[in-house]
Amino acid sequence: MVAQSILVLFGSFFVMLFAGVPISAGIGIASCLTAFSAGMPFDKFAFVAAQKCFDGVDSFSLLALPFFSLGGNIMNKGGIAKRLVRLARLLVGKVPGYLAATNVLANMFFGAVSGSSVAATSAMGSIMSPLEADEGYDPNYSAAVNICSAPTGILIPPSGPLILYSITAGGVSVAALFMGGYLTGALLGIAVIAVAIYLAIKKGYKASTVKEEASTLKIVIDAVPSLLAVIIVMGGILGGIFTATEAGVVMCLYCGLLAIIYREMDLKTFYNLLADTMKSSATILFLIAASSIMSYVMSYTGIPAAISQMLMSISSNRYVLLLIMNVFLLVMGMFLDLTPAVLIFTPIFLPIARSIGMSDVHFGLMLIMNLGIGSVTPPVGSCLFVGCGVGHVKIEGVTKYIVPMFAAMVIALFLVTFIPAIPLCVPKLCGLIPSLWWN
């Protein structure tokens, strides 16, 4: 019965996915088919499904997602991204292929403020592509660096995906996840920047010869208000001044104030940002509602327990199980966007991770990092398509540069997976978790 439910659930879901059915609808339809195949009465299922949909989105914590999304959009259009790019170029100007290194560092800065890899890809790509073209950089190389460094934005806090994981996992500490995201995201950025510099040396790209009109002090001072957003948000959360949701509101207000001061956003642009944020938030909420039905159906049919038993029957060694989970998630990340993947796979793999002594915080950082890497791979890589679009290049052209960067990102992923002290040392130092090793 359980094997039949697994086949019906995932088989029908992937058939609809490849047929072009919207993911949220596919999740809902697959859940209905699985419930009926398991013999659940229609009237009971209809009542419970409606209840689960409402319960899934009836969460104060979920309000953080649209607020952080709006804050990131304001930063993109409000002149904040430009100031972060100038600071990044100042810091890496002496490095060969400095514009590529600037792109990586700027994505880390912008991601730390916006919490969105797609927003970072779009913002940094539109700013950096013309600069790199002027200095003779291969557009495919430039786009690949931008695409592969963008996922740092979903790890370095504030991060919407980490908040979503916290809610899906049943209330894992957002503060601990955020603090763990700093070193995890930095490691991912270092992996990309190392390959980018190596390729730049091979291609003969030089260090910066650009003479900044503004002084070093002015560039730093201009960037400080933008970076201060991170300090305000994280300081408020860690200090217990406000929750993650309230931090999202504070971030929107602060970024809106900066946009007014910089005078780079008019009322029409702000209206469009609000509309875009509402559309993206509605999509996420609909996904969460549909995935709540799927979670109930999986629990009813015993799918998570069956998958757990199946994996444990392969091996009881935690390292083998983690390797299997990572390979599976890397493959799934090629076909699923991050949000539905978090909603689907958290209830399946989190119990397995707990059974082998992995903390919820460690698993969450591994999961989000893994699925973030998936956003740079075809056929559903959101960062890949956005990066190719703003860089005016084709996927075939960037692939030869993405492959070595992807390999470096996977190495970074394995370091985070198999050495718990890397993602957990900062939360441990902040007193947010009891241990920085296996439970």
Side-chain angles (χ1 to χ4, degrees), residues 53 56 72 79 90 104 129 132 140 144 151 173 203 245 253 266 288 301-302 305 307 327 404 410:
C53 283
L90 175 69
V104 178
S129 293
E132 291 170 311
N140 292 307
S173 169
K203 297 178 75 66
T245 301
L253 293 174
D266 54 26
I288 292 172
T301 55
I307 294 176
V327 171
V410 171

Side-chain angles (χ1 to χ4, degrees), residues 309-392:
Q309 290 176 2
M310 181 184 69
L311 287 179
M312 297 298 283
S313 68
I314 296 174
S315 174
S316 59
N317 186 293
R318 65 159 61 100
Y319 299 105
V320 174
L321 291 172
L322 287 173
L323 180 62
I324 293 172
M325 280 194 282
N326 271 303
V327 171
F328 179 84
L329 289 170
L330 282 171
V331 174
M332 288 298 101
M334 297 179 183
F335 300 97
L336 286 173
D337 281 329
L338 190 144
T339 298
V342 171
L343 295 169
I344 293 171
F345 296 122
T346 296
I348 293 176
F349 288 125
L350 182 57
I352 301 173
R354 287 170 174 166
S355 71
I356 59 176
M358 195 178 201
S359 74
D360 292 2
V361 173
H362 185 189
F363 173 76
L365 293 166
M366 181 198 79
L367 175 71
I368 300 301
M369 185 178 186
N370 196 311
L371 297 175
I373 293 173
S375 69
V376 309
T377 57
V380 191
S382 52
C383 290
L384 176 67
F385 291 116
V386 172
C388 288
V390 297
H392 306 292

Side-chain angles (χ1 to χ4, degrees), residues 108-190:
M108 293 171 71
F109 283 157
F110 188 77
V113 183
S114 71
S116 170
S117 58
V118 174
T121 307
S122 176
M124 295 304 128
S126 59
I127 293 171
M128 297 302 302
S129 293
L131 297 176
E132 291 170 311
D134 289 343
E135 296 210 15
Y137 284 40
D138 181 350
N140 292 307
Y141 165 78
S142 303
V145 172
N146 184 44
I147 290 165
C148 290
S149 60
T152 58
I154 60 172
L155 288 166
I156 301 176
S159 165
L162 287 177
I163 294 173
L164 181 62
Y165 164 76
S166 170
I167 296 167
T168 309
V172 179
S173 169
V174 172
L177 288 168
F178 276 11
M179 296 312 294
Y182 280 113
L183 196 53
T184 307
L187 180 62
L188 189 63
I190 290 169

Side-chain angles (χ1 to χ4, degrees), residues 18-73:
F18 289 119
V21 176
I23 292 177
S24 51
I27 290 174
I29 294 171
S31 301
C32 293
L33 293 175
T34 305
F36 298 148
S37 70
M40 186 181 294
F42 176 80
D43 55 346
K44 176 185 176 183
F45 176 74
F47 175 78
V48 174
Q51 191 177 49
K52 292 295 178 182
C53 283
F54 181 79
D55 290 343
V57 297
D58 184 24
S59 170
F60 177 73
S61 300
L62 277 178
L63 285 173
L65 297 178
F67 283 122
F68 279 120
S69 176
L70 177 59
N73 287 335

Side-chain angles (χ1 to χ4, degrees), residues 162-220:
L162 287 177
I163 294 173
L164 181 62
Y165 164 76
S166 170
I167 296 167
T168 309
V172 179
S173 169
V174 172
L177 288 168
F178 276 11
M179 296 312 294
Y182 280 113
L183 196 53
T184 307
L187 180 62
L188 189 63
I190 290 169
V192 175
I193 206 170
V195 177
I197 292 173
Y198 170 74
L199 293 175
I201 293 173
K202 285 188 65 177
K203 297 178 75 66
Y205 297 147
K206 306 297 183 184
S208 175
T209 57
V210 177
K211 299 294 184 183
E212 288 282 359
E213 294 180 6
S215 66
T216 299
L217 182 61
K218 187 177 187 308
I219 293 172
V220 173

